[in-house]
């Protein structure tokens, strides 16, 4: 399956999203942002500090993550979304 946003509510809130290749290294150098376990090699990062981004930036980043994920789907599946 494909994922674009995963939230871990069991402990301290963390969010994993897909980011563009150009942003991945830059974000991973930031505090409280790391390559995601298991999916980091596919461009996913885990953010462990929610105040890192404003609400508007979170919305934009989650939408970008969705768009990047959908772009990798076969055309037939994209048409069903």
């Amino acid at each position: 399956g494909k994922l674009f946003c995963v939230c871990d509510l069991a402990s301290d809130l963390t969010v994993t999203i897909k980011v563009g290749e150009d942003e991945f290294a830059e974000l991973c150098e930031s505090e409280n942002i790391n390559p995601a376990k298991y999916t980091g090699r596919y461009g996913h990062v885990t953010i462990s500090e929610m105040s890192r981004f404003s609400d508007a930036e979170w919305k934009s980043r989650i939408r970008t993550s969705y768009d990047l994920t959908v772009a990798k789907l076969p055309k037939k599946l994209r048409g069903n979304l």
Side-chain angles (χ1 to χ4, degrees):
K2 303 288 183 183
L3 65 94
F4 69 93
C5 184
V6 176
C7 299
D8 180 2
L9 305 174
S11 57
D12 293 335
L13 179 65
T14 61
V15 177
T16 299
I17 57 173
K18 186 170 181 67
V19 296
E21 292 176 16
D22 54 330
E23 281 190 295
F24 183 81
E26 180 183 334
L27 285 173
C28 288
E29 291 175 5
S30 302
E31 192 172 329
N32 299 315
I33 300 178
N34 298 299
K37 289 182 183 178
Y38 309 111
T39 60
R41 65 179 172 232
Y42 303 115
H44 291 88
V45 295
T46 297
I47 303 153
S48 58
E49 184 183 330
M50 299 305 96
S51 62
R52 177 81 167 93
F53 304 118
S54 68
D55 288 349
E57 192 168 7
W58 272 112
K59 185 175 180 178
S60 173
R61 288 188 175 281
I62 292 170
R63 181 63 203 202
T64 298
S65 180
Y66 175 82
D67 291 342
L68 289 168
T69 302
V70 168
K72 296 285 186 174
L73 294 173
K75 283 185 178 183
K76 186 176 182 178
L77 287 177
R78 279 186 264 162
N80 294 333
L81 296 177

